[in-house]
Amino acid sequence: MTSSAPPLFGSDEFSGRYVESESSAGVRYHIKKPIGAGSTGTAYFALRESQEGSFPVVLKIISPVVVSNNQEAATLLVKKEAVALGRIGERVPPTPFVVKLIEAGFLPEVAGKRVRVPWIAVEYVHGGLEGTTLTQRVCHSIYHSQHAFDVERAANAIRCIGSGLGAIHEVGVVHRDVTPRNVLCCGFGADELFKIADLGLARPKGMQGTFNATVLGTPGYAAPEQALPGSKDVSPASDVFSMAAVVFYLLTGEDYFPADSVTAALIFAKNGPRRRLQACSYLHPDLRARPHACAEIDAVLETATAIRMEERLQNVQLLTSAILGILDSQPRSARQPEFLSRAVTDSQLLLRTSAFDWQVRERPSSQRLVYHAKWSADGRCLAVTNNGVEYWDGTWRWPSLPEPLRRAPLCFAALSRPGQWLVGGEEGQLGVFTGSDYEVLEPGAPRLRYTFGSGDPDDLAVFVAQTSDGPPMLCALIGRRWLKPLALEVGTGVNGITRVGESTWLVVGRSASGGGFAALYDPLLWELTRVADTERPLLDCAASPSTFTAVAVGIGGTVLRVRGIQGEETRLDGGHALSCVALNATGRAIVGAAGRLWEAPAGSAELVKVWEDPSWELPFISLFSDVGLSYALTPEGAVLEGRQQIERQSRPALSRTG
């Protein structure tokens, strides 16, 4: 479905209805409300309901009017998207940069018309603080900061979008409608994740046919060859054209080819000079201060949007590497914490959230024992279990692991950046895992056991290493080069680390005397600063860099709040062993124990119980928290999901984009 045209029907005829699954007995979809409309149908927010619980999805339904006019072509629209997404989802774990297929089917008779209305259910992407689409996030940035994406944020977005399109092309599919509205977003700050969506116009290799002889795509983003009605002359280079226009938009907040029709955009692209970054008002100051870099990006975008397909960059990898090579040519500096803090404060004025609604997404299993797990911004996790490495995205699955990951037992998994995980364990095992590739970071030192990791090896990462007879060591990797390790006091045990600043990590655990400790580690200064000593050991910690805060929790209801180099200890009544903690972008904390979860607003010392079930006897070991969304995981692999309804009191509005 495109997002530029109004729907072909004027009333909402599906909200409130139930749609039965055609592939899973006892499963149905409860359609709640429309969330988007296009020229061929409407996208609805819906709940997939079963005996195990419910979770949100996006249900896209082709308009009955469209189906009446051409049943075969309407069915083809859904079939092509289902085939495309199905091919991409075959890998475990699937790429996080393309939305996940749930299932597809047909509605029974609609409004007395003897037609089979096709529908498709796909992953619902939780937009959180800044909005769900790339359009909304760029507008949010301009509204709060007066500029579009900064250098680091743009590089992350381009890397995600390029990886998503690359995965689409690898399975023989051309998207044909890559626009800012069809890039969905979740997460915040360094965890921000971008996903390609809406493959309704996609052309999978081996599938013939299209909806009709109309022009396909969105004005200003569709490649010129798509302006020819019924044209079969499309290739990955067609998506290169569209992605280049998206890159210009996320850097400037403006359309590369401003036009109201694909034909008008084609005329503009053919006859008019290309727009320049430096001429756009919302270009980020850091990039504006680099005129040579802007000129280089302008030249890349011009080549990527050549009228003749054979004269363009022929694949998205070439476009992505060219742009990233320019953006990453200087040390990272953008996205300062002060800006993030201000954006969070301003955004909180626009949001209200209701109480949590908790659902059990995965029941406990006696066949699984989870040792360690970390979550990504889209609510998926990679876990180290008794079965090896497992992946959860609604159900537990086993990735296809390369040989090095099967060689020695693993101890931890940590998200390094979107789509990239750090894993480490016994016998010096340490590397970067993307789901399809594994790169060893530490081929030597078999006597080391890596128990925790955090950060990005290409930038700065910290690991906790242990020998069989010595104290824990803090090991830092900067630009893939090891710094001198820092040994902790003999008898110390590390239970958690979290990044709290540009080059600072909070390290918590058990002190040599049997109590707890919290310290700030700066690998660049080779410095460990003790923040606090607690009476009881600390078991976990989490940070919210945008609010300059961190929280550690532990035995006996211990809660330690850290701001700067100061720590303030409080106790939760009841003496619970608080096993894990997570903070969202606003600094709101979720704290877990056996059969219980608590919540604390940003800056508050008061924990309020939000969930309890005494039958859950084992403590939660891993939490994820975003604005309006939380996940909790137990050692038995049980997953609990909490959602809050988000009400936006006002929205920033800018001129129309794709």
Side-chain angles (χ1 to χ4, degrees), residues 534-574:
T534 59
E535 182 179 340
R536 308 292 293 275
L538 297 170
L539 301 180
D540 193 25
C541 58
S544 174
S546 58
T547 58
F548 307 99
T549 59
V551 175
V553 297
I555 303 296
T558 302
V559 179
L560 180 70
R561 288 172 172 79
V562 178
R563 187 174 179 87
I565 60 173
Q566 301 297 321
E568 179 184 355
E569 180 182 355
T570 58
R571 291 287 184 87
L572 178 66
D573 292 339

Side-chain angles (χ1 to χ4, degrees), residues 324-405:
L324 293 181
I326 300 168
L327 294 177
D328 292 342
S329 62
Q330 292 186 356
R332 302 179 184 183
S333 61
R335 300 218 81 185
Q336 297 298 324
E338 291 80 4
F339 163 69
L340 290 177
S341 179
R342 185 173 63 252
V344 168
T345 301
D346 291 345
S347 297
Q348 284 180 286
L349 300 177
L350 302 177
L351 298 176
R352 285 199 299 262
T353 54
S354 61
F356 274 104
D357 178 25
W358 295 96
Q359 296 279 345
V360 176
R361 290 291 307 276
E362 188 82 31
R363 296 288 178 182
S365 169
S366 60
Q367 306 301 313
R368 179 174 295 104
L369 179 60
V370 180
Y371 304 130
H372 193 267
K374 283 294 182 181
W375 298 84
S376 61
D378 55 353
R380 307 179 186 190
C381 80
L382 193 71
V384 178
T385 79
N386 61 321
N387 301 316
V389 176
E390 294 189 69
Y391 178 77
W392 189 87
D393 62 350
T395 185
W396 286 105
R397 298 196 281 173
W398 288 269
S400 301
L401 296 178
E403 190 277 333
L405 278 179

